[in-house]
Coordinates of all heavy atoms in Angstrom, one line a residue:
M1 N -2.2 16.2 -15.0 CA -2.2 16.1 -13.5 C -3.1 14.9 -13.2 O -4.3 14.8 -13.6 CB -2.7 17.4 -12.9 CG -2.7 17.4 -11.4 SD -3.3 18.9 -10.7 CE -2.6 18.9 -9.1
A2 N -2.6 14.0 -12.3 CA -3.4 12.8 -11.9 C -4.6 13.2 -11.2 O -4.6 14.2 -10.4 CB -2.5 11.9 -11.1
D3 N -5.7 12.4 -11.3 CA -7.0 12.7 -10.7 C -7.4 11.5 -9.9 O -7.6 10.4 -10.4 CB -8.0 13.0 -11.7 CG -9.3 13.4 -11.2 OD1 -9.6 13.2 -10.0 OD2 -10.1 14.0 -11.9
R4 N -7.5 11.6 -8.6 CA -7.9 10.5 -7.7 C -9.2 9.9 -8.1 O -9.4 8.7 -8.0 CB -7.9 11.0 -6.3 CG -8.4 10.0 -5.2 CD -7.4 8.8 -5.1 NE -6.5 9.0 -4.0 CZ -5.7 8.1 -3.6 NH1 -5.6 6.9 -4.2 NH2 -4.8 8.3 -2.6
R5 N -10.1 10.7 -8.6 CA -11.4 10.3 -9.1 C -11.3 9.3 -10.3 O -12.3 8.6 -10.6 CB -12.3 11.4 -9.4 CG -12.7 12.3 -8.1 CD -13.3 13.6 -8.6 NE -12.4 14.4 -9.4 CZ -12.6 15.6 -9.9 NH1 -13.8 16.1 -9.7 NH2 -11.8 16.2 -10.6
D6 N -10.2 9.4 -11.0 CA -10.0 8.6 -12.2 C -8.9 7.5 -11.9 O -8.4 6.9 -12.9 CB -9.6 9.5 -13.3 CG -9.8 8.8 -14.7 OD1 -10.7 8.0 -14.8 OD2 -9.0 9.1 -15.6
Q7 N -8.7 7.1 -10.7 CA -7.6 6.2 -10.4 C -8.1 4.7 -10.8 O -9.2 4.4 -10.8 CB -7.3 6.2 -8.9 CG -8.4 5.6 -8.0 CD -8.0 5.5 -6.6 OE1 -6.8 5.2 -6.3 NE2 -8.9 5.6 -5.7
W8 N -7.0 3.9 -11.0 CA -7.3 2.5 -11.2 C -7.8 1.8 -9.9 O -7.2 2.1 -8.9 CB -6.0 1.8 -11.7 CG -5.7 2.1 -13.1 CD1 -4.7 3.0 -13.5 CD2 -6.3 1.6 -14.3 NE1 -4.6 3.0 -14.9 CE2 -5.6 2.2 -15.4 CE3 -7.3 0.7 -14.6 CZ2 -5.9 2.0 -16.7 CZ3 -7.7 0.5 -15.9 CH2 -7.0 1.1 -17.0
D9 N -8.7 0.9 -10.1 CA -9.3 0.3 -8.9 C -8.3 -0.7 -8.2 O -8.5 -1.0 -7.0 CB -10.6 -0.5 -9.2 CG -11.7 0.4 -9.6 OD1 -11.7 1.6 -9.2 OD2 -12.6 0.0 -10.3
D10 N -7.3 -1.1 -8.9 CA -6.3 -2.1 -8.4 C -5.1 -1.4 -7.7 O -4.2 -2.1 -7.4 CB -5.9 -3.1 -9.4 CG -5.6 -2.6 -10.8 OD1 -5.8 -1.4 -11.0 OD2 -5.1 -3.3 -11.6
N11 N -5.1 -0.1 -7.6 CA -4.1 0.5 -6.7 C -4.3 -0.1 -5.3 O -5.4 -0.3 -4.9 CB -4.2 2.0 -6.7 CG -3.7 2.7 -7.9 OD1 -2.5 2.7 -8.1 ND2 -4.5 3.3 -8.7
V12 N -3.2 -0.2 -4.5 CA -3.3 -0.8 -3.2 C -4.1 0.0 -2.2 O -4.7 -0.5 -1.3 CB -1.9 -1.1 -2.7 CG1 -1.1 0.2 -2.3 CG2 -1.9 -2.0 -1.5
G13 N -4.1 1.3 -2.4 CA -4.7 2.2 -1.4 C -3.9 2.3 -0.2 O -2.7 2.0 -0.1
G14 N -4.6 2.7 0.9 CA -3.8 2.9 2.2 C -3.0 4.2 2.2 O -3.1 5.0 1.3
E15 N -2.2 4.3 3.2 CA -1.3 5.5 3.3 C -0.1 5.1 4.2 O -0.1 4.1 4.9 CB -2.1 6.6 4.0 CG -2.6 6.3 5.4 CD -3.5 7.3 6.0 OE1 -4.2 8.0 5.2 OE2 -3.5 7.5 7.2
S16 N 0.9 6.0 4.2 CA 2.0 5.9 5.1 C 2.3 7.2 5.7 O 1.9 8.3 5.1 CB 3.2 5.3 4.3 OG 3.6 6.2 3.3
W17 N 3.0 7.2 6.8 CA 3.4 8.5 7.4 C 4.9 8.5 7.4 O 5.6 7.7 7.9 CB 2.9 8.5 8.9 CG 1.5 8.8 9.0 CD1 0.4 8.0 9.0 CD2 0.9 10.2 9.2 NE1 -0.7 8.7 9.2 CE2 -0.5 10.0 9.3 CE3 1.5 11.4 9.3 CZ2 -1.3 11.1 9.4 CZ3 0.6 12.5 9.4 CH2 -0.8 12.3 9.5
L18 N 5.4 9.5 6.7 CA 6.9 9.7 6.6 C 7.1 11.2 6.6 O 6.3 12.0 6.0 CB 7.4 9.1 5.3 CG 7.5 7.6 5.2 CD1 7.7 7.2 3.7 CD2 8.5 7.1 6.1
E19 N 8.2 11.6 7.2 CA 8.6 13.0 7.2 C 7.5 13.9 7.7 O 7.3 15.0 7.2 CB 9.1 13.5 5.8 CG 10.3 12.6 5.3 CD 10.8 13.1 4.0 OE1 10.3 14.0 3.4 OE2 11.8 12.4 3.5
G20 N 6.8 13.4 8.7 CA 5.8 14.2 9.4 C 4.5 14.4 8.7 O 3.7 15.3 9.1
R21 N 4.2 13.7 7.6 CA 3.0 13.8 6.9 C 2.5 12.5 6.3 O 3.2 11.6 6.2 CB 3.1 14.9 5.9 CG 4.1 14.7 4.9 CD 4.0 15.7 3.7 NE 2.9 15.3 2.8 CZ 2.7 16.0 1.7 NH1 3.4 17.0 1.3 NH2 1.7 15.6 0.9
R22 N 1.2 12.6 5.9 CA 0.6 11.4 5.2 C 0.9 11.4 3.8 O 0.9 12.4 3.1 CB -0.9 11.5 5.5 CG -1.7 10.4 4.9 CD -3.2 10.5 5.4 NE -3.9 11.5 4.7 CZ -4.5 11.4 3.5 NH1 -4.6 10.2 2.9 NH2 -5.2 12.4 3.0
W23 N 1.1 10.1 3.2 CA 1.3 9.9 1.8 C 0.5 8.8 1.3 O 0.4 7.7 1.9 CB 2.8 9.6 1.5 CG 3.8 10.6 2.0 CD1 4.3 10.7 3.2 CD2 4.3 11.7 1.3 NE1 5.2 11.8 3.3 CE2 5.2 12.4 2.1 CE3 4.1 12.2 0.0 CZ2 5.8 13.6 1.7 CZ3 4.7 13.3 -0.4 CH2 5.6 14.0 0.5
S24 N -0.2 9.0 0.2 CA -1.0 8.0 -0.4 C -0.9 8.1 -1.9 O -1.6 9.0 -2.5 CB -2.5 8.0 0.1 OG -3.2 7.0 -0.5
F25 N -0.1 7.3 -2.5 CA 0.1 7.4 -4.0 C -0.9 6.5 -4.8 O -1.4 5.5 -4.3 CB 1.6 6.9 -4.3 CG 2.6 7.9 -3.9 CD1 3.1 7.9 -2.6 CD2 3.1 8.8 -4.8 CE1 4.1 8.8 -2.3 CE2 4.1 9.7 -4.5 CZ 4.6 9.7 -3.2
Y26 N -1.1 6.9 -6.0 CA -2.0 6.1 -6.9 C -1.6 6.4 -8.3 O -0.9 7.4 -8.6 CB -3.5 6.5 -6.7 CG -3.8 8.0 -6.9 CD1 -4.2 8.4 -8.2 CD2 -3.6 8.9 -6.0 CE1 -4.5 9.7 -8.5 CE2 -3.8 10.3 -6.2 CZ -4.2 10.7 -7.5 OH -4.5 12.0 -7.7
T27 N -2.1 5.6 -9.2 CA -2.0 5.9 -10.7 C -3.4 6.0 -11.2 O -4.4 5.4 -10.7 CB -1.3 4.8 -11.5 OG1 -2.0 3.5 -11.3 CG2 0.1 4.6 -10.9
D28 N -3.6 6.8 -12.3 CA -4.9 6.9 -12.8 C -5.0 6.5 -14.3 O -4.0 6.0 -14.8 CB -5.5 8.4 -12.7 CG -4.9 9.4 -13.6 OD1 -4.1 9.0 -14.6 OD2 -5.2 10.6 -13.5
R29 N -6.1 6.6 -14.9 CA -6.3 6.0 -16.2 C -5.7 6.7 -17.4 O -5.8 6.3 -18.5 CB -7.9 5.8 -16.5 CG -8.5 4.8 -15.5 CD -10.0 4.8 -15.6 NE -10.5 3.9 -14.6 CZ -10.6 2.6 -14.7 NH1 -10.2 2.0 -15.8 NH2 -11.1 1.8 -13.7
Q30 N -4.9 7.7 -17.1 CA -4.1 8.3 -18.2 C -2.8 7.4 -18.5 O -2.2 7.7 -19.5 CB -3.6 9.7 -17.8 CG -4.7 10.7 -17.5 CD -4.1 12.0 -17.0 OE1 -3.8 12.9 -17.8 NE2 -3.9 12.1 -15.7
C31 N -2.5 6.5 -17.6 CA -1.3 5.6 -17.7 C -1.2 5.0 -19.1 O -2.2 4.5 -19.6 CB -1.4 4.5 -16.7 SG 0.0 3.4 -16.8
I32 N 0.0 5.2 -19.7 CA 0.2 4.6 -21.0 C 1.1 3.4 -21.0 O 1.6 2.9 -22.0 CB 0.8 5.6 -22.0 CG1 2.2 6.2 -21.4 CG2 -0.2 6.8 -22.3 CD1 2.9 7.1 -22.4
F33 N 1.3 2.9 -19.7 CA 2.0 1.6 -19.5 C 3.5 1.6 -20.1 O 3.9 0.8 -20.8 CB 1.2 0.5 -20.2 CG 1.6 -0.9 -19.7 CD1 1.9 -1.2 -18.3 CD2 1.6 -2.0 -20.5 CE1 2.2 -2.4 -17.9 CE2 1.9 -3.3 -20.1 CZ 2.2 -3.5 -18.8
C34 N 4.2 2.7 -19.7 CA 5.5 2.9 -20.2 C 6.6 2.3 -19.3 O 7.7 2.2 -19.7 CB 5.8 4.4 -20.3 SG 6.0 5.3 -18.7
S35 N 6.2 1.9 -18.1 CA 7.1 1.3 -17.1 C 8.2 2.2 -16.5 O 9.0 1.7 -15.8 CB 7.8 0.1 -17.7 OG 6.8 -0.9 -18.1
V36 N 8.1 3.5 -16.7 CA 9.0 4.4 -16.0 C 8.9 4.2 -14.4 O 9.9 4.1 -13.7 CB 8.8 5.8 -16.4 CG1 9.5 6.8 -15.4 CG2 9.3 6.1 -17.8
C37 N 7.7 4.1 -14.0 CA 7.5 4.1 -12.5 C 8.0 2.8 -11.9 O 8.6 2.7 -10.8 CB 6.0 4.3 -12.1 SG 4.8 3.2 -12.9
T38 N 7.8 1.7 -12.6 CA 8.3 0.4 -12.1 C 9.8 0.3 -12.2 O 10.4 -0.4 -11.4 CB 7.6 -0.8 -12.9 OG1 7.8 -0.6 -14.3 CG2 6.2 -0.9 -12.6
D39 N 10.4 1.0 -13.1 CA 11.9 1.1 -13.1 C 12.4 1.9 -12.0 O 13.4 1.6 -11.4 CB 12.4 1.7 -14.5 CG 12.1 0.7 -15.6 OD1 11.9 -0.5 -15.4 OD2 12.2 1.2 -16.8
V40 N 11.8 3.1 -11.7 CA 12.3 4.0 -10.7 C 11.9 3.5 -9.3 O 12.8 3.7 -8.4 CB 11.7 5.4 -11.0 CG1 12.0 6.4 -9.9 CG2 12.1 6.0 -12.3
A41 N 10.8 3.0 -9.1 CA 10.3 2.6 -7.8 C 9.8 1.2 -7.8 O 8.6 1.0 -7.6 CB 9.3 3.6 -7.2
P42 N 10.6 0.2 -8.0 CA 10.1 -1.2 -8.2 C 9.5 -1.8 -7.0 O 8.7 -2.8 -7.1 CB 11.4 -1.9 -8.7 CG 12.5 -1.1 -8.1 CD 12.1 0.3 -8.2
D43 N 9.8 -1.3 -5.8 CA 9.1 -1.8 -4.6 C 7.7 -1.3 -4.4 O 7.0 -1.8 -3.6 CB 10.0 -1.5 -3.4 CG 11.3 -2.3 -3.4 OD1 11.4 -3.4 -4.0 OD2 12.3 -1.8 -2.8
N44 N 7.4 -0.3 -5.2 CA 6.1 0.4 -4.9 C 5.1 0.4 -6.1 O 3.9 0.5 -5.9 CB 6.3 1.9 -4.5 CG 7.3 2.0 -3.3 OD1 8.5 2.2 -3.5 ND2 6.7 1.8 -2.1
F45 N 5.7 0.2 -7.3 CA 4.8 0.2 -8.5 C 5.1 -1.2 -9.2 O 6.2 -1.7 -9.3 CB 5.2 1.3 -9.5 CG 4.9 2.7 -9.0 CD1 5.7 3.4 -8.1 CD2 3.7 3.3 -9.4 CE1 5.4 4.6 -7.7 CE2 3.4 4.6 -8.9 CZ 4.2 5.2 -8.0
R46 N 4.0 -1.7 -9.8 CA 4.1 -3.0 -10.5 C 3.1 -2.9 -11.7 O 2.1 -2.1 -11.6 CB 3.7 -4.2 -9.7 CG 4.5 -4.4 -8.5 CD 5.5 -5.6 -8.7 NE 6.5 -5.6 -7.6 CZ 6.2 -6.2 -6.5 NH1 5.1 -6.8 -6.3 NH2 7.1 -6.1 -5.5
R47 N 3.3 -3.7 -12.7 CA 2.3 -3.8 -13.8 C 1.0 -4.5 -13.2 O 1.1 -5.4 -12.4 CB 2.9 -4.6 -15.0 CG 3.3 -6.0 -14.7 CD 3.7 -6.7 -16.0 NE 4.7 -5.9 -16.7 CZ 5.1 -6.3 -17.9 NH1 4.7 -7.3 -18.5 NH2 6.0 -5.5 -18.5
S48 N -0.1 -4.1 -13.8 CA -1.3 -4.7 -13.4 C -1.4 -6.2 -13.9 O -0.7 -6.6 -14.8 CB -2.5 -3.9 -14.0 OG -2.5 -4.1 -15.4
V49 N -2.3 -6.9 -13.3 CA -2.6 -8.3 -13.7 C -3.0 -8.3 -15.2 O -2.5 -9.2 -15.9 CB -3.7 -8.9 -12.8 CG1 -4.1 -10.3 -13.4 CG2 -3.2 -9.1 -11.4
A50 N -3.7 -7.4 -15.6 CA -4.2 -7.3 -17.0 C -3.0 -6.9 -17.9 O -3.2 -7.0 -19.2 CB -5.3 -6.3 -17.1
E51 N -1.9 -6.4 -17.4 CA -0.8 -6.0 -18.1 C -1.1 -4.9 -19.1 O -0.7 -4.9 -20.3 CB -0.1 -7.2 -18.8 CG 0.4 -8.2 -17.8 CD 1.4 -9.2 -18.4 OE1 1.4 -9.3 -19.6 OE2 2.1 -9.8 -17.6
D52 N -1.9 -3.9 -18.7 CA -2.2 -2.8 -19.6 C -2.0 -1.5 -18.8 O -2.3 -0.4 -19.4 CB -3.6 -2.9 -20.2 CG -4.7 -2.9 -19.1 OD1 -4.4 -2.9 -17.9 OD2 -5.9 -3.0 -19.5
H53 N -1.6 -1.5 -17.6 CA -1.3 -0.3 -16.8 C -0.5 -0.7 -15.6 O -0.4 -1.9 -15.3 CB -2.6 0.5 -16.4 CG -3.4 -0.3 -15.5 ND1 -4.4 -1.3 -15.9 CD2 -3.5 -0.3 -14.1 CE1 -5.0 -1.8 -14.9 NE2 -4.5 -1.3 -13.8
D54 N 0.1 0.3 -15.0 CA 0.9 0.1 -13.8 C 0.1 0.7 -12.6 O -0.6 1.6 -12.7 CB 2.3 0.7 -13.8 CG 3.3 -0.1 -14.6 OD1 2.9 -1.2 -15.1 OD2 4.4 0.4 -14.8
V55 N 0.3 0.1 -11.4 CA -0.4 0.5 -10.2 C 0.5 0.6 -9.0 O 1.6 0.0 -9.1 CB -1.6 -0.5 -9.9 CG1 -2.6 -0.5 -10.9 CG2 -1.0 -1.9 -9.6
V56 N 0.1 1.2 -8.0 CA 0.8 1.3 -6.7 C 0.5 0.0 -6.0 O -0.7 -0.4 -5.8 CB 0.4 2.5 -5.9 CG1 1.1 2.4 -4.5 CG2 0.8 3.8 -6.6
V57 N 1.5 -0.8 -5.6 CA 1.3 -2.0 -4.9 C 1.7 -1.9 -3.4 O 1.4 -2.7 -2.6 CB 2.1 -3.2 -5.5 CG1 1.5 -3.5 -6.9 CG2 3.6 -2.9 -5.6
R58 N 2.5 -0.8 -3.1 CA 2.8 -0.6 -1.7 C 3.1 0.9 -1.5 O 3.9 1.5 -2.3 CB 4.1 -1.4 -1.3 CG 4.4 -1.3 0.2 CD 5.5 -2.3 0.5 NE 6.8 -1.7 0.4 CZ 8.0 -2.4 0.4 NH1 7.9 -3.7 0.7 NH2 9.1 -1.8 0.3
Q59 N 2.5 1.5 -0.5 CA 2.9 2.8 -0.1 C 4.3 2.9 0.4 O 4.8 1.9 0.9 CB 1.9 3.4 0.9 CG 0.4 3.4 0.4 CD 0.2 4.3 -0.8 OE1 1.0 5.2 -1.1 NE2 -0.9 4.1 -1.5
P60 N 5.0 4.0 0.2 CA 6.4 4.1 0.6 C 6.6 3.8 2.1 O 5.8 4.3 2.9 CB 6.8 5.5 0.3 CG 5.5 6.3 0.2 CD 4.5 5.3 -0.3
S61 N 7.6 3.0 2.5 CA 7.8 2.6 3.8 C 9.0 3.2 4.5 O 9.2 3.0 5.7 CB 7.9 1.1 3.9 OG 9.0 0.6 3.2
D62 N 9.8 3.9 3.7 CA 11.0 4.6 4.3 C 11.3 5.8 3.4 O 10.8 5.9 2.3 CB 12.1 3.7 4.4 CG 12.6 3.0 3.1 OD1 12.6 3.7 2.1 OD2 12.9 1.8 3.2
P63 N 12.2 6.7 3.8 CA 12.5 7.9 3.0 C 13.1 7.6 1.6 O 12.8 8.3 0.7 CB 13.6 8.6 3.9 CG 13.3 8.2 5.3 CD 12.8 6.7 5.2
D64 N 13.8 6.4 1.4 CA 14.3 6.1 0.1 C 13.1 5.8 -0.8 O 13.1 6.2 -2.0 CB 15.2 4.9 0.2 CG 15.7 4.5 -1.2 OD1 16.4 5.3 -1.8 OD2 15.4 3.4 -1.6
E65 N 12.2 5.0 -0.3 CA 11.0 4.6 -1.1 C 10.2 5.9 -1.4 O 9.7 6.0 -2.6 CB 10.2 3.6 -0.5 CG 10.8 2.2 -0.5 CD 9.9 1.1 0.0 OE1 8.7 1.4 0.3 OE2 10.3 0.0 0.2
L66 N 10.1 6.7 -0.5 CA 9.3 8.0 -0.7 C 10.0 8.8 -1.8 O 9.3 9.3 -2.7 CB 9.2 8.8 0.6 CG 8.6 10.2 0.4 CD1 7.1 10.1 -0.1 CD2 8.6 10.9 1.8
A67 N 11.3 8.9 -1.8 CA 12.0 9.7 -2.8 C 11.8 9.0 -4.2 O 11.6 9.7 -5.2 CB 13.5 9.7 -2.4
R68 N 11.8 7.7 -4.2 CA 11.6 7.0 -5.5 C 10.2 7.2 -6.0 O 10.0 7.4 -7.2 CB 11.9 5.5 -5.3 CG 13.4 5.2 -5.2 CD 13.6 3.8 -4.9 NE 15.1 3.5 -4.7 CZ 15.9 3.2 -5.8 NH1 15.3 3.1 -7.0 NH2 17.1 2.9 -5.6
C69 N 9.2 7.2 -5.1 CA 7.8 7.4 -5.5 C 7.6 8.8 -6.1 O 7.0 9.0 -7.1 CB 6.9 7.2 -4.4 SG 6.7 5.4 -4.0
L70 N 8.3 9.8 -5.4 CA 8.2 11.2 -5.9 C 8.9 11.3 -7.2 O 8.4 12.1 -8.1 CB 8.7 12.1 -4.8 CG 7.8 12.3 -3.6 CD1 8.6 13.0 -2.5 CD2 6.5 13.0 -3.9
Q71 N 10.0 10.6 -7.4 CA 10.7 10.7 -8.7 C 9.9 10.1 -9.8 O 9.8 10.6 -10.9 CB 12.0 9.9 -8.5 CG 13.0 10.1 -9.7 CD 13.6 11.5 -9.8 OE1 14.4 11.8 -9.0 NE2 13.0 12.4 -10.6
A72 N 9.2 8.9 -9.5 CA 8.4 8.3 -10.5 C 7.2 9.3 -10.9 O 6.9 9.4 -12.0 CB 7.8 7.0 -9.9
E73 N 6.7 9.9 -9.9 CA 5.6 10.9 -10.1 C 6.1 12.0 -11.0 O 5.4 12.4 -12.0 CB 5.0 11.4 -8.8 CG 3.9 12.4 -9.0 CD 3.2 12.8 -7.7 OE1 3.2 12.1 -6.8 OE2 2.8 14.0 -7.7
A74 N 7.3 12.5 -10.7 CA 7.8 13.6 -11.5 C 8.2 13.2 -13.0 O 8.1 14.0 -13.9 CB 9.1 14.2 -10.8
W75 N 8.6 11.9 -13.1 CA 9.1 11.5 -14.4 C 8.0 10.8 -15.3 O 8.2 10.5 -16.4 CB 10.2 10.4 -14.3 CG 11.5 11.1 -13.9 CD1 11.7 12.4 -13.7 CD2 12.7 10.4 -13.6 NE1 13.1 12.6 -13.4 CE2 13.7 11.4 -13.3 CE3 13.2 9.1 -13.6 CZ2 15.0 11.2 -13.0 CZ3 14.5 8.8 -13.3 CH2 15.4 9.8 -13.0
C76 N 6.8 10.5 -14.7 CA 5.7 9.9 -15.5 C 5.4 10.9 -16.6 O 5.1 12.0 -16.4 CB 4.5 9.7 -14.6 SG 3.1 9.1 -15.5
P77 N 5.5 10.4 -17.9 CA 5.4 11.2 -19.0 C 4.0 11.8 -19.2 O 3.8 12.8 -20.0 CB 5.8 10.3 -20.2 CG 5.5 9.0 -19.7 CD 5.8 9.0 -18.3
V78 N 3.0 11.2 -18.6 CA 1.6 11.7 -18.8 C 0.9 12.2 -17.5 O -0.3 12.3 -17.5 CB 0.7 10.6 -19.5 CG1 1.2 10.4 -20.9 CG2 0.7 9.3 -18.7
E79 N 1.7 12.3 -16.5 CA 1.2 12.8 -15.2 C 0.1 11.9 -14.7 O -1.0 12.4 -14.2 CB 0.8 14.3 -15.3 CG 1.9 15.2 -15.6 CD 1.6 16.7 -15.6 OE1 0.4 17.0 -15.4 OE2 2.5 17.5 -15.8
A80 N 0.3 10.6 -14.8 CA -0.7 9.7 -14.3 C -0.5 9.2 -12.9 O -1.3 8.4 -12.4 CB -0.7 8.4 -15.2
I81 N 0.5 9.7 -12.2 CA 0.8 9.4 -10.8 C 0.4 10.6 -9.9 O 0.9 11.7 -10.2 CB 2.2 9.0 -10.6 CG1 2.6 7.8 -11.5 CG2 2.5 8.7 -9.1 CD1 4.0 7.4 -11.5
G82 N -0.3 10.3 -8.9 CA -0.6 11.4 -7.9 C -0.5 10.9 -6.5 O -0.3 9.7 -6.3
H83 N -0.6 11.8 -5.6 CA -0.6 11.4 -4.2 C -1.4 12.4 -3.4 O -1.6 13.5 -3.8 CB 0.9 11.3 -3.6 CG 1.5 12.7 -3.5 ND1 2.4 13.2 -4.5 CD2 1.5 13.6 -2.5 CE1 2.8 14.4 -4.1 NE2 2.3 14.6 -2.9
D84 N -2.0 11.8 -2.3 CA -2.8 12.7 -1.4 C -2.0 12.8 -0.1 O -1.3 11.8 0.3 CB -4.1 12.0 -1.1 CG -5.0 12.0 -2.3 OD1 -4.9 12.9 -3.1 OD2 -5.8 11.0 -2.4
P85 N -2.1 13.8 0.6 CA -2.7 15.1 0.1 C -1.8 15.7 -1.0 O -0.6 15.4 -1.0 CB -2.8 16.0 1.4 CG -1.8 15.4 2.3 CD -1.6 14.0 2.0
G86 N -2.4 16.4 -1.8 CA -1.6 17.0 -3.0 C -0.5 17.9 -2.6 O -0.2 18.2 -1.5
Ligands
LIG101 S1 5.2 6.2 -15.4 FE1 3.1 6.9 -15.6 S2 2.5 6.3 -17.7 FE2 4.4 5.1 -17.2 S3 3.6 3.2 -16.4 FE3 3.9 4.5 -14.6 S4 1.9 5.5 -14.3 FE4 1.9 4.6 -16.3

């Protein structure tokens, strides 16, 4: 389970409001740089500048992006993606 206290500093931060609630996605240091999230949600996840982990670069801006972010979170093999509120 992802831990906000262990998140990468280069996540974009911020939040979005969709479907009547707040969403703020992040990746944490469990990331094994497998690229599942960047394949599933390419508008929201990208590889880091250091190219050793992936980060959130944009919070979801519409229901399709939200669905993709939640799919990426579900498919991350090491549960390195989380969102607030949980
Ligand atoms: S799916 Fe998870 S482990 Fe894979 S790159 Fe994304 S955050 Fe890292």
